[in-house]
Amino acid sequence: MAGLSPSQLQKFRDDGFLVLEGFLSADECVAMQQRIGEIVAEMDVPLHCRTEFSTQEEEQIRAQGSTEYFLSSGDKIRFFFEKGVFDKKGNFLVPPEKSINKIGHALHAHDPVFRSITHSPKVQAVARSLGLQMPVVIQSMYIFKQPHLGGEGGPAAVTPHQDATFLYTEPLGRVLGIWLALEDATLENGCLWFIPGSHTGGVSRRMVRAPAGSASGISFLGAEPDRDNSLFVPTPVGRGALVLIHGEVVHKSEQNLSARSRHAYTFHLMDTSGTVWSPENWLQPTAELPFPPLYT
């Protein structure tokens, strides 16, 4: 199974991201979409666990930091919702299947369809060509990027961030995102945007678990700087594309104001060779689910 070419490797090192069109077959995309449809159809989320997902710092602290449902999701399959989809009692205001922001964070461990894609020979070949010696899978997510439902705005934008803000290692440079487009990602439905070369300047902000007894379960060290919007480059891709994302490259996505969703499956790898996973990260391996090796 072929990995990256020398020119692709160089582009990734220069830019901090790389697009590989046609990485997944249509059948592989369909298999994941069908499986996630089954998972959603069987979804049963208690009222007190109906958590809205956000990338805004204050909302993260309020919505995720205050709930054990999020902080203990690293070894489970759990559901996170768009803003404004519940009434004051926690009942759905829109159809449940249209309300989900993402499902995370251990599809790769608990579901055979997603496990087979995550550990596929072609993913392993890409990791080997990047020089990853002992990579493990640290988390996975299915992201819906729901179509616009009317009213004020649409499903939330993902604000500029670095993945290492949430998945911090020492030394840096040991986390890699694998982002797989299961539907076309366009300018209209919220494709990814990157600042090329922004992976070389360190990490400006870190999300850490707060000490026991704190009002919130998480806090932030540092702050996200104001970024020149003109530096971002849109990266529309076709269904089946893979986008490699360096852990420190700055990226975002805009609101989906179209009538079409933008489904994606994404997971993160960490090369454990000579790497320390921060004990302050929100996500920690457990005895029930250590981070599984990528290579099988």
Side-chain angles (χ1 to χ4, degrees):
M1 189 69 64
L4 301 181
S5 69
S7 62
Q8 289 173 324
L9 284 167
Q10 190 59 53
K11 184 166 180 56
F12 178 70
R13 293 183 185 122
D14 291 343
D15 293 344
F17 68 98
L18 179 70
V19 174
L20 302 176
E21 290 282 4
F23 186 82
L24 293 179
S25 68
D27 286 346
E28 288 171 319
C29 294
V30 167
M32 283 190 279
Q33 289 185 286
Q34 287 182 341
R35 179 60 190 135
I36 213 70
E38 294 167 356
I39 291 172
V40 170
E42 297 166 1
M43 174 179 67
D44 183 17
V45 184
L47 288 176
H48 70 280
C49 296
R50 295 185 178 183
T51 300
E52 294 177 351
F53 183 76
S54 174
T55 59
Q56 297 284 352
E57 182 168 321
E58 290 183 3
E59 291 180 353
Q60 283 177 327
I61 291 173
R62 183 177 67 252
Q64 282 114 261
S66 62
T67 173
E68 190 62 22
Y69 186 77
F70 171 78
L71 292 173
S72 62
S73 65
D75 60 354
K76 302 174 182 68
I77 296 176
R78 287 188 167 169
F79 305 87
F80 303 91
F81 300 92
E82 296 288 354
K83 290 175 60 179
V85 300
F86 301 122
D87 65 18
K88 292 180 179 180
K89 295 182 179 180
N91 300 308
F92 286 103
L93 296 171
V94 297
E97 67 275 10
K98 298 294 186 183
S99 68
I100 303 175
N101 176 288
K102 71 172 187 174
I103 296 176
H105 288 91
L107 285 161
H108 64 279
H110 294 306
D111 187 87
V113 173
F114 291 96
R115 184 188 303 119
S116 67
I117 294 293
T118 304
H119 294 272
S120 65
K122 53 190 173 184
V123 168
Q124 294 185 36
V126 168
R128 287 193 169 95
S129 68
L130 285 165
L132 276 62
Q133 297 179 40
M134 294 187 293
V136 295
V137 187
I138 51 181
Q139 71 163 4
S140 57
M141 298 177 285
Y142 192 102
I143 302 171
F144 291 80
K145 202 73 173 180
Q146 298 281 5
H148 180 43
L149 297 174
E152 292 293 328
V158 176
T159 56
H161 68 282
Q162 300 165 289
D163 290 345
T165 288
F166 312 97
L167 310 170
Y168 186 80
T169 64
E170 294 181 355
L172 289 170
R174 302 304 177 89
V175 169
L176 175 72
I178 306 284
W179 193 95
L180 298 164
L182 306 185
E183 297 178 315
D184 292 345
T186 67
L187 288 172
E188 293 73 30
N189 73 356
C191 69
L192 298 173
W193 295 64
F194 293 91
I195 299 180
S198 58
H199 59 301
T200 61
V203 175
S204 57
R205 184 176 69 125
R206 286 180 57 197
M207 187 175 85
V208 300
R209 278 188 179 250
S214 300
S216 173
I218 59 171
S219 61
F220 284 87
L221 306 176
E224 201 68 41
D226 290 331
R227 303 190 188 275
D228 183 348
N229 207 45
S230 68
L231 297 176
F232 283 92
V233 174
T235 310
V237 298
R239 184 187 196 194
L242 180 152
V243 185
L244 290 176
I245 303 175
H246 190 285
E248 283 92 75
V249 73
V250 178
H251 57 291
K252 67 174 183 176
S253 68
E254 301 293 350
Q255 284 184 302
N256 179 5
L257 297 178
S258 78
R260 295 183 297 111
S261 58
R262 192 223 65 188
H263 287 198
Y265 173 59
T266 183
F267 57 94
H268 287 88
L269 306 176
M270 174 182 66
D271 194 349
T272 59
S273 179
T275 306
V276 175
W277 178 254
S278 174
E280 296 180 313
N281 285 338
W282 77 270
L283 173 65
Q284 296 294 326
T286 64
E288 293 77 17
L289 183 62
F291 294 150
L294 176 69
Y295 301 147
T296 56

